[in-house]
Amino acid sequence: MSTPDDDSQQRFALGLVFVLIALIVATTIGAAVYHYGMPGSGNADAAGTASTAPAAPATGVAVITETVVAVVPEGASVRVEGGVVKFYFATGSADIAPGAAEALALVLQGVQNGRKAVISGYHDTTGDPAKNEELAKQRAITVRDVLVGLGVAEDKVTLEKPAVAAAGQGDDAGARRVEVKLVD
């Protein structure tokens, strides 16, 4: 006959074995996803067929034709519109929306093809203008730091104050953004 202490120790050992097995399985799956990518990711359209973007012109601003959108609560999102990657931010935040990696991969590809990334930060018109301008700068620095973290050389990334007033046009949510353009 077993005692209650023996049963408790057996349950603990069995639980520990299950936790170790789960950890090994999760690590194996995580390593496979990291190495091979997520199933269904990549350049496939809604029908599942691979799509290729036309090559960018040799001079001028690079043409990015894919549309990538990732929306999270509080208004943070990433969009590629007209060859410009636009990072939209939540009020008072410099945190990049999840899903930005796909849009940044397009910028990374352009830089690897010899272009430079020009980053400009905009802000809305609500609140203190000085704080808004500093927040726009911090957002641009955040985008730059992510690009550098992805392997883009610092000399290929330029922070540039927008030629027009830093306060964006249109609604406040659309004005809280950082734009990344690829130039020669």
Side-chain angles (χ1 to χ4, degrees):
M1 272 205 92
S2 64
T3 65
D5 285 339
D6 289 338
D7 289 341
S8 176
Q9 289 176 350
Q10 287 176 348
R11 278 184 269 156
F12 176 78
L14 187 59
L16 184 60
V17 168
F18 281 125
V19 168
L20 289 174
I21 291 171
L23 183 61
I24 290 169
V25 169
T27 302
T28 304
I29 291 172
V33 168
Y34 177 77
H35 183 66
Y36 297 109
M38 289 293 294
S41 67
N43 294 335
D45 60 18
T49 59
S51 63
T52 57
T59 61
V61 176
V63 176
I64 301 173
T65 59
E66 294 183 36
T67 299
V68 179
V69 178
V71 179
V72 295
E74 301 173 7
S77 65
V78 180
R79 297 180 188 269
V80 179
E81 300 170 343
V84 177
V85 180
K86 297 180 180 180
F87 297 87
Y88 295 93
F89 293 83
T91 303
S93 172
D95 295 333
I96 294 180
E102 292 143 357
L104 286 170
L106 298 172
V107 174
L108 182 61
Q109 181 181 12
V111 171
Q112 289 172 340
N113 290 333
R115 296 193 164 67
K116 290 187 178 187
V118 177
I119 303 172
S120 300
Y122 297 82
H123 60 80
D124 61 20
T125 56
T126 60
D128 181 16
K131 286 182 181 179
N132 285 342
E133 193 164 327
E134 181 59 29
L135 187 55
K137 181 180 176 183
Q138 288 304 314
R139 290 170 175 160
I141 289 170
T142 299
V143 171
R144 179 202 61 198
D145 291 348
V146 170
L147 282 171
V148 170
L150 290 172
V152 174
E154 287 189 45
D155 64 334
K156 295 285 189 178
V157 181
T158 304
L159 293 178
E160 186 176 273
K161 192 168 184 176
V164 295
Q169 312 299 327
D171 68 343
D172 288 334
R176 292 185 301 269
R177 72 184 186 282
V178 168
E179 294 183 356
V180 180
K181 295 179 185 176
L182 293 172
V183 297
D184 289 326

